[in-house]
Amino acid sequence: MPLTVLSDADIHSLLFSLTREDVVALQENLAEALHEYSTGTQETTGCCQTNQPQRISIPATNNQTTLFMPASTSKSRGIKIATLAASEPSRHGSLTSLHSTPSIASSASSQSTSQSTPPATPATPASQMSNLSLAGSTPTDPSIASSQSTSPIGSLTLLTASGQPYGFLAASELTAFRTALAATMLFTRRTNVHTIAVFGAGAQALWHIRLALLLRGPEIHHVHIINRKFERARELMTNIYTSPEWKDLRKSNDKLDFSIVSNEYGEYNRLLKDHVRKSDAIFCCTPSTMPLFPPEYLTSTEGRKKGRYVSAIGSYRQHMIEIHPDILRQAVAPEHKHHHHRHAQKGGVIIVDSLSACMKEAGEIKQANLTPEQLVEIGELLMVKKAAMKEVAEGGEGEKGLKNWLQGGNVIYKSVGLGLMDVCVGEDLVMLSRERGVGKTFEGF
């Protein structure tokens, strides 16, 4: 049995070589695995929830945590072992402090960058640039992210169903990619994706942006990167604008522009509200311990007029939170029969990767006091959606309410991550790496 070893650099190279068709195929395989996780039994599939042990967390030195995430598919057994910095509870106050802090607009310039020129420093005159917004309030706003990087450092080991090891993969790049792959499943079906907002500027943010552009690129015109530190966001944008790895995506859409919003500069609160309100999709990719924006941006009469897809994947512990609980409570609240204001449709549930894991670990779910009846797993929903879409394509009505909600309503997806995702995507990456000569394969291991 050959053993394939893939470093983070190997996986990075392989993932950046993927075409749209490759990504769609990987996404379909992951969707099938998540469907089997939600609906299968031990008699029908190795992906079923019964075959997915809960992960184990062991405290490490320097405020770090080591996670052991065993998982199973019909083809493989695997375990990801990853160490990451543990985010500390915020010391900035209560959840309401984010929108009770007064905004102090500075005279910082509104700066921008063209498609062909990487962003300059905040001191660069606005006249030399063209599409990069900078805004900020005083640095009393709650932290958007932990002070430590939470990118996992570790590995994924893959074995055949009979126990033969066949894959050993570095975990960092794989984890960011598989998380974004799952988060963009529902995004691909949205009717409007003209403007997206991304909170964070690390590997998770990078892969959410890249997959969004690969899957719906020509339709996306504005990407707002919202991050606590301007410099980190500038590094990400410089990479997008200058790296040969992004060249094809840059050339495929001449209407695409990016902006950076940081609370270090300018009128942060005003621009934050403007970008959140105008976004068709919001990707939250930070290990935040406080809500990333005030709830009324989305819960007010004005905020509810527009349907949005909101994905929150950065928080994975009970004290961590990216979306204010009021937003989740409103999303699951029963519709009033009579109302005087037009607002986007809501589904009455929050979509999650794993009901049991999110009920135990997701800060947003815990702090909003949601019940299992107010959650639905993405694996179950994807196949219901697929059947409804097929019926519509064949001339039937399908489930119109479900279809309309998923395509244009207010949809919230919450993920804390599953070992199943790592094993499923890891299987496919080992196969692709052997086909394309990436990494090292040892025969007769």
Side-chain angles (χ1 to χ4, degrees), residues 157-177:
T157 302
L158 296 174
L159 304 93
T160 65
S162 61
Q164 290 289 329
Y166 73 89
F168 187 74
L169 295 74
S172 295
E173 199 87 13
L174 169 66
T175 301
F177 174 79

PDB file of all heavy atoms in Angstrom, residues 157-177:
ATOM      1  N   THR A 157      -4.025  11.939   9.533  1.00  0.00           N
ATOM      2  CA  THR A 157      -3.594  10.600   9.144  1.00  0.00           C
ATOM      3  C   THR A 157      -4.778   9.845   8.575  1.00  0.00           C
ATOM      4  O   THR A 157      -5.853   9.811   9.190  1.00  0.00           O
ATOM      5  CB  THR A 157      -3.024   9.824  10.348  1.00  0.00           C
ATOM      6  OG1 THR A 157      -1.929  10.552  10.895  1.00  0.00           O
ATOM      7  CG2 THR A 157      -2.551   8.446   9.930  1.00  0.00           C
ATOM      8  N   LEU A 158      -4.607   9.257   7.394  1.00  0.00           N
ATOM      9  CA  LEU A 158      -5.673   8.516   6.727  1.00  0.00           C
ATOM     10  C   LEU A 158      -5.309   7.038   6.613  1.00  0.00           C
ATOM     11  O   LEU A 158      -4.177   6.692   6.278  1.00  0.00           O
ATOM     12  CB  LEU A 158      -5.917   9.082   5.322  1.00  0.00           C
ATOM     13  CG  LEU A 158      -6.419  10.524   5.238  1.00  0.00           C
ATOM     14  CD1 LEU A 158      -6.459  10.986   3.789  1.00  0.00           C
ATOM     15  CD2 LEU A 158      -7.801  10.650   5.876  1.00  0.00           C
ATOM     16  N   LEU A 159      -6.287   6.177   6.897  1.00  0.00           N
ATOM     17  CA  LEU A 159      -6.109   4.738   6.777  1.00  0.00           C
ATOM     18  C   LEU A 159      -7.251   4.158   5.957  1.00  0.00           C
ATOM     19  O   LEU A 159      -8.364   4.723   5.940  1.00  0.00           O
ATOM     20  CB  LEU A 159      -6.082   4.065   8.154  1.00  0.00           C
ATOM     21  CG  LEU A 159      -5.043   4.555   9.160  1.00  0.00           C
ATOM     22  CD1 LEU A 159      -5.649   5.642  10.052  1.00  0.00           C
ATOM     23  CD2 LEU A 159      -4.550   3.413  10.037  1.00  0.00           C
ATOM     24  N   THR A 160      -7.004   3.045   5.285  1.00  0.00           N
ATOM     25  CA  THR A 160      -8.082   2.362   4.589  1.00  0.00           C
ATOM     26  C   THR A 160      -9.036   1.756   5.611  1.00  0.00           C
ATOM     27  O   THR A 160      -8.748   1.712   6.811  1.00  0.00           O
ATOM     28  CB  THR A 160      -7.534   1.251   3.696  1.00  0.00           C
ATOM     29  OG1 THR A 160      -6.933   0.245   4.531  1.00  0.00           O
ATOM     30  CG2 THR A 160      -6.500   1.788   2.714  1.00  0.00           C
ATOM     31  N   ALA A 161     -10.171   1.262   5.139  1.00  0.00           N
ATOM     32  CA  ALA A 161     -11.139   0.643   6.039  1.00  0.00           C
ATOM     33  C   ALA A 161     -10.552  -0.562   6.762  1.00  0.00           C
ATOM     34  O   ALA A 161     -11.004  -0.931   7.853  1.00  0.00           O
ATOM     35  CB  ALA A 161     -12.393   0.239   5.267  1.00  0.00           C
ATOM     36  N   SER A 162      -9.511  -1.176   6.155  1.00  0.00           N
ATOM     37  CA  SER A 162      -8.868  -2.329   6.787  1.00  0.00           C
ATOM     38  C   SER A 162      -7.689  -1.931   7.667  1.00  0.00           C
ATOM     39  O   SER A 162      -7.021  -2.792   8.238  1.00  0.00           O
ATOM     40  CB  SER A 162      -8.393  -3.322   5.715  1.00  0.00           C
ATOM     41  OG  SER A 162      -7.448  -2.706   4.851  1.00  0.00           O
ATOM     42  N   GLY A 163      -7.402  -0.613   7.757  1.00  0.00           N
ATOM     43  CA  GLY A 163      -6.387  -0.139   8.680  1.00  0.00           C
ATOM     44  C   GLY A 163      -5.026   0.162   8.095  1.00  0.00           C
ATOM     45  O   GLY A 163      -4.089   0.490   8.833  1.00  0.00           O
ATOM     46  N   GLN A 164      -4.893   0.081   6.760  1.00  0.00           N
ATOM     47  CA  GLN A 164      -3.605   0.388   6.129  1.00  0.00           C
ATOM     48  C   GLN A 164      -3.434   1.897   5.975  1.00  0.00           C
ATOM     49  O   GLN A 164      -4.269   2.563   5.362  1.00  0.00           O
ATOM     50  CB  GLN A 164      -3.527  -0.266   4.739  1.00  0.00           C
ATOM     51  CG  GLN A 164      -3.404  -1.779   4.762  1.00  0.00           C
ATOM     52  CD  GLN A 164      -2.045  -2.227   5.254  1.00  0.00           C
ATOM     53  OE1 GLN A 164      -1.046  -1.552   5.059  1.00  0.00           O
ATOM     54  NE2 GLN A 164      -2.006  -3.379   5.915  1.00  0.00           N
ATOM     55  N   PRO A 165      -2.341   2.477   6.518  1.00  0.00           N
ATOM     56  CA  PRO A 165      -2.134   3.916   6.331  1.00  0.00           C
ATOM     57  C   PRO A 165      -1.824   4.238   4.868  1.00  0.00           C
ATOM     58  O   PRO A 165      -1.044   3.542   4.235  1.00  0.00           O
ATOM     59  CB  PRO A 165      -0.926   4.227   7.214  1.00  0.00           C
ATOM     60  CG  PRO A 165      -0.469   2.955   7.826  1.00  0.00           C
ATOM     61  CD  PRO A 165      -1.285   1.840   7.299  1.00  0.00           C
ATOM     62  N   TYR A 166      -2.469   5.286   4.347  1.00  0.00           N
ATOM     63  CA  TYR A 166      -2.208   5.664   2.955  1.00  0.00           C
ATOM     64  C   TYR A 166      -2.024   7.175   2.767  1.00  0.00           C
ATOM     65  O   TYR A 166      -1.663   7.631   1.678  1.00  0.00           O
ATOM     66  CB  TYR A 166      -3.317   5.154   2.034  1.00  0.00           C
ATOM     67  CG  TYR A 166      -4.633   5.893   2.140  1.00  0.00           C
ATOM     68  CD1 TYR A 166      -4.894   7.023   1.353  1.00  0.00           C
ATOM     69  CD2 TYR A 166      -5.650   5.455   2.988  1.00  0.00           C
ATOM     70  CE1 TYR A 166      -6.100   7.694   1.428  1.00  0.00           C
ATOM     71  CE2 TYR A 166      -6.857   6.119   3.072  1.00  0.00           C
ATOM     72  CZ  TYR A 166      -7.074   7.233   2.290  1.00  0.00           C
ATOM     73  OH  TYR A 166      -8.282   7.896   2.366  1.00  0.00           O
ATOM     74  N   GLY A 167      -2.255   7.950   3.805  1.00  0.00           N
ATOM     75  CA  GLY A 167      -2.093   9.393   3.659  1.00  0.00           C
ATOM     76  C   GLY A 167      -1.672  10.055   4.951  1.00  0.00           C
ATOM     77  O   GLY A 167      -2.149   9.689   6.033  1.00  0.00           O
ATOM     78  N   PHE A 168      -0.744  11.015   4.836  1.00  0.00           N
ATOM     79  CA  PHE A 168      -0.312  11.810   5.985  1.00  0.00           C
ATOM     80  C   PHE A 168      -0.213  13.246   5.497  1.00  0.00           C
ATOM     81  O   PHE A 168       0.636  13.578   4.663  1.00  0.00           O
ATOM     82  CB  PHE A 168       1.032  11.317   6.519  1.00  0.00           C
ATOM     83  CG  PHE A 168       1.449  11.973   7.801  1.00  0.00           C
ATOM     84  CD1 PHE A 168       0.834  11.645   9.001  1.00  0.00           C
ATOM     85  CD2 PHE A 168       2.449  12.936   7.817  1.00  0.00           C
ATOM     86  CE1 PHE A 168       1.214  12.256  10.193  1.00  0.00           C
ATOM     87  CE2 PHE A 168       2.843  13.550   8.997  1.00  0.00           C
ATOM     88  CZ  PHE A 168       2.223  13.204  10.189  1.00  0.00           C
ATOM     89  N   LEU A 169      -1.129  14.113   5.963  1.00  0.00           N
ATOM     90  CA  LEU A 169      -1.270  15.463   5.431  1.00  0.00           C
ATOM     91  C   LEU A 169      -1.096  16.499   6.537  1.00  0.00           C
ATOM     92  O   LEU A 169      -1.595  16.316   7.654  1.00  0.00           O
ATOM     93  CB  LEU A 169      -2.648  15.670   4.796  1.00  0.00           C
ATOM     94  CG  LEU A 169      -3.025  14.876   3.547  1.00  0.00           C
ATOM     95  CD1 LEU A 169      -3.325  13.412   3.857  1.00  0.00           C
ATOM     96  CD2 LEU A 169      -4.244  15.509   2.879  1.00  0.00           C
ATOM     97  N   ALA A 170      -0.404  17.598   6.229  1.00  0.00           N
ATOM     98  CA  ALA A 170      -0.343  18.738   7.138  1.00  0.00           C
ATOM     99  C   ALA A 170      -1.744  19.334   7.268  1.00  0.00           C
ATOM    100  O   ALA A 170      -2.547  19.294   6.329  1.00  0.00           O
ATOM    101  CB  ALA A 170       0.646  19.772   6.632  1.00  0.00           C
ATOM    102  N   ALA A 171      -2.042  19.908   8.428  1.00  0.00           N
ATOM    103  CA  ALA A 171      -3.430  20.266   8.735  1.00  0.00           C
ATOM    104  C   ALA A 171      -3.818  21.707   8.431  1.00  0.00           C
ATOM    105  O   ALA A 171      -4.998  21.998   8.231  1.00  0.00           O
ATOM    106  CB  ALA A 171      -3.718  19.977  10.205  1.00  0.00           C
ATOM    107  N   SER A 172      -2.878  22.638   8.405  1.00  0.00           N
ATOM    108  CA  SER A 172      -3.247  24.061   8.374  1.00  0.00           C
ATOM    109  C   SER A 172      -4.025  24.450   7.123  1.00  0.00           C
ATOM    110  O   SER A 172      -5.161  24.944   7.192  1.00  0.00           O
ATOM    111  CB  SER A 172      -1.991  24.936   8.506  1.00  0.00           C
ATOM    112  OG  SER A 172      -1.393  24.752   9.759  1.00  0.00           O
ATOM    113  N   GLU A 173      -3.425  24.251   5.964  1.00  0.00           N
ATOM    114  CA  GLU A 173      -4.074  24.649   4.708  1.00  0.00           C
ATOM    115  C   GLU A 173      -5.326  23.819   4.458  1.00  0.00           C
ATOM    116  O   GLU A 173      -6.348  24.322   3.979  1.00  0.00           O
ATOM    117  CB  GLU A 173      -3.096  24.491   3.539  1.00  0.00           C
ATOM    118  CG  GLU A 173      -3.481  25.270   2.299  1.00  0.00           C
ATOM    119  CD  GLU A 173      -2.969  26.698   2.313  1.00  0.00           C
ATOM    120  OE1 GLU A 173      -2.116  27.019   3.147  1.00  0.00           O
ATOM    121  OE2 GLU A 173      -3.414  27.496   1.469  1.00  0.00           O
ATOM    122  N   LEU A 174      -5.260  22.551   4.786  1.00  0.00           N
ATOM    123  CA  LEU A 174      -6.405  21.655   4.614  1.00  0.00           C
ATOM    124  C   LEU A 174      -7.610  22.135   5.413  1.00  0.00           C
ATOM    125  O   LEU A 174      -8.738  22.177   4.907  1.00  0.00           O
ATOM    126  CB  LEU A 174      -6.021  20.242   5.053  1.00  0.00           C
ATOM    127  CG  LEU A 174      -7.161  19.226   5.200  1.00  0.00           C
ATOM    128  CD1 LEU A 174      -7.789  18.939   3.855  1.00  0.00           C
ATOM    129  CD2 LEU A 174      -6.662  17.940   5.853  1.00  0.00           C
ATOM    130  N   THR A 175      -7.390  22.526   6.673  1.00  0.00           N
ATOM    131  CA  THR A 175      -8.493  22.946   7.535  1.00  0.00           C
ATOM    132  C   THR A 175      -9.176  24.204   6.991  1.00  0.00           C
ATOM    133  O   THR A 175     -10.411  24.282   6.944  1.00  0.00           O
ATOM    134  CB  THR A 175      -7.982  23.208   8.965  1.00  0.00           C
ATOM    135  OG1 THR A 175      -7.397  22.010   9.481  1.00  0.00           O
ATOM    136  CG2 THR A 175      -9.115  23.653   9.871  1.00  0.00           C
ATOM    137  N   ALA A 176      -8.389  25.184   6.580  1.00  0.00           N
ATOM    138  CA  ALA A 176      -8.971  26.416   6.045  1.00  0.00           C
ATOM    139  C   ALA A 176      -9.771  26.137   4.775  1.00  0.00           C
ATOM    140  O   ALA A 176     -10.879  26.665   4.590  1.00  0.00           O
ATOM    141  CB  ALA A 176      -7.863  27.432   5.759  1.00  0.00           C
ATOM    142  N   PHE A 177      -9.232  25.279   3.923  1.00  0.00           N
ATOM    143  CA  PHE A 177      -9.907  24.979   2.656  1.00  0.00           C
ATOM    144  C   PHE A 177     -11.209  24.227   2.871  1.00  0.00           C
ATOM    145  O   PHE A 177     -12.251  24.591   2.309  1.00  0.00           O
ATOM    146  CB  PHE A 177      -8.974  24.175   1.750  1.00  0.00           C
ATOM    147  CG  PHE A 177      -9.638  23.706   0.479  1.00  0.00           C
ATOM    148  CD1 PHE A 177      -9.820  24.573  -0.579  1.00  0.00           C
ATOM    149  CD2 PHE A 177     -10.078  22.390   0.350  1.00  0.00           C
ATOM    150  CE1 PHE A 177     -10.449  24.148  -1.758  1.00  0.00           C
ATOM    151  CE2 PHE A 177     -10.699  21.957  -0.807  1.00  0.00           C
ATOM    152  CZ  PHE A 177     -10.888  22.828  -1.866  1.00  0.00           C
TER     153      PHE A 177
END
